Amino acid sequence: MHIWNSLDQVPSGFGPSVVTLGNFDGLHRGHQQVLGQVRDIAARRNAKSVALTFDPHPALVHRPDSAPGQIMGLADKLAAMEGIGLDAVLVIPYTLEFAAQTPEEFVRNVFVDTLGACTVVVGHDVRFGKSNTGDLTTMVTLGAQLGFDVVVIDDEGHDRRWSSTWVREALDKGDVDTAAQVLGRWHSMSGEVVHGAARGRVLGFPTANLSPDACGSIPADGVYAGWLNDELGHRWPAAISVGSNPTFEGVNRQVEAFVIGRPEEPIEAFNLYGQHVVVEFVKRLRGMVAYTGPEALIEQMHKDVRESRNIL
């Protein structure tokens, strides 16, 4: 899959193409449906399948103080798009200058002149151009004027429309089951394993601590059963802790995973430090609780590991 990070990187004369646009945060089932349609229509029409997305998310540019957290990082989103089978993704740097284009300027510059679109695939609620003044009617009108068809995708098969908002709501509650249903996969975070306070090692539960700048929404504080995927392709069952560990003072909020059934070798030999790992959240076991001391916490951690093992 080609990845272009500006309009200038698209080869001259590219096309014909079948194009869609969106933020695609989380790449949930609704996004997958649209991108699958783009891929299939392009195959039937002997055209290239292209998705247009933005970085950063437009909300971060227009209202940085109230923009929602991003469900997944750009690299993870692009990897998921590649799995759908698209020919290319155009990642447009989103700026106030870019956002000032009229709907017609945006469509002409990007879809027609750059991507050679023969078909544009959108949902009923598509909005584009300055102040989001372009809508579905605008797109159909511009298609007739500029020479491309418009295909409208309907959401099907569920009571509530698949959405990134739904995923965020579920994660804020620690409801990773619902998040997985909307996403079509387990919610995940990715990042580098960094050194922590080594408190887990002292307690007999050495954990892989994700860097504070790890990508992906952090679910509600608590303990989860899940998976840790390392750089070597191993997928380890894990008990995952999210929170500030209220049993101890002075601990910042963090995500740490205890690998279940790690190799029978010294802890130092099973070294994930510096690796870029992916942590998947399967089931929330409990909320975060302050225990009376290390002994009670250790007893609970043994229970968490047993329950995680049974679930996984």
Side-chain angles (χ1 to χ4, degrees):
M1 184 181 78
H2 297 287
I3 298 174
W4 301 310
N5 294 297
S6 70
L7 296 178
D8 294 340
Q9 291 183 2
V10 180
S12 177
F14 181 82
S17 67
V18 177
V19 184
T20 192
L21 76 159
N23 295 308
F24 304 112
D25 187 27
L27 205 73
H28 56 65
R29 289 182 186 270
H31 297 145
Q32 295 166 34
Q33 180 183 6
V34 171
L35 296 177
Q37 288 278 6
V38 169
R39 177 200 61 213
D40 295 345
I41 293 171
R44 293 196 298 268
R45 301 188 178 182
N46 196 28
K48 301 294 186 181
S49 56
V50 182
L52 166 67
T53 192
F54 309 99
D55 184 53
H57 192 293
L60 291 171
V61 174
H62 292 292
R63 45 187 179 90
D65 294 336
S66 60
Q70 300 306 289
I71 297 168
M72 67 195 313
L74 177 61
D76 294 330
K77 179 167 65 176
L78 293 173
M81 286 180 163
E82 184 170 19
I84 292 175
L86 297 175
D87 291 309
V89 175
L90 171 58
V91 183
I92 290 184
Y94 194 86
T95 63
L96 291 176
E97 180 181 4
F98 178 83
Q101 295 179 97
T102 67
E104 180 176 354
E105 288 172 336
F106 167 72
V107 169
R108 185 185 295 276
N109 292 340
V110 179
F111 289 172
V112 178
D113 293 345
T114 302
L115 296 175
C118 62
T119 302
V120 174
V121 179
V122 294
H124 284 282
D125 60 348
V126 63
R127 307 293 297 196
F128 59 98
K130 185 177 181 180
S131 301
N132 275 338
T133 51
D135 58 12
L136 178 58
T137 300
T138 311
M139 188 70 78
V140 172
T141 300
L142 290 173
Q145 294 174 356
L146 300 175
F148 61 82
D149 299 327
V150 176
V151 175
V152 182
I153 302 296
D154 291 314
D155 291 330
E156 299 175 351
H158 49 278
D159 296 329
R160 181 178 178 181
R161 178 178 175 272
W162 307 122
S163 71
S164 302
T165 299
W166 192 0
V167 176
R168 294 189 192 99
E169 290 174 358
L171 293 176
D172 285 345
K173 300 173 184 176
D175 184 3
V176 293
D177 302 78
T178 295
Q181 292 173 24
V182 182
L183 292 170
R185 63 186 183 281
W186 307 121
H187 173 62
S188 64
M189 296 182 63
S190 64
E192 183 181 348
V193 176
V194 298
H195 289 274
R199 187 173 285 113
R201 179 174 298 187
V202 173
L203 297 175
F205 294 88
T207 58
N209 298 270
L210 287 188
S211 168
D213 61 359
C215 294
S217 292
I218 304 177
D221 288 3
V223 176
Y224 298 79
W227 300 93
L228 183 146
N229 304 273
D230 67 21
E231 286 184 350
L232 300 178
H234 298 129
R235 192 164 187 254
W236 304 99
I240 307 161
S241 172
V242 176
S244 57
N245 200 335
T247 302
F248 303 95
E249 296 181 358
V251 180
N252 295 322
R253 192 164 189 254
Q254 59 190 25
V255 177
E256 49 186 322
F258 170 72
V259 170
I260 300 171
R262 66 177 181 81
E264 292 298 327
E265 57 189 20
I267 290 174
E268 292 75 11
F270 185 64
N271 187 356
L272 297 175
Y273 291 125
Q275 285 199 37
H276 188 89
V277 302
V278 176
V279 173
E280 300 172 284
F281 299 86
V282 174
K283 183 77 174 179
R284 190 174 192 235
L285 307 182
R286 60 177 176 86
M288 194 59 70
V289 178
Y291 290 93
T292 55
E295 294 78 11
L297 176 59
I298 291 172
E299 181 180 354
Q300 180 61 58
M301 292 168 74
H302 280 291
K303 293 179 181 178
D304 295 336
V305 169
R306 287 196 298 270
E307 188 174 355
S308 296
R309 192 192 304 272
N310 291 336
I311 290 171
L312 300 171

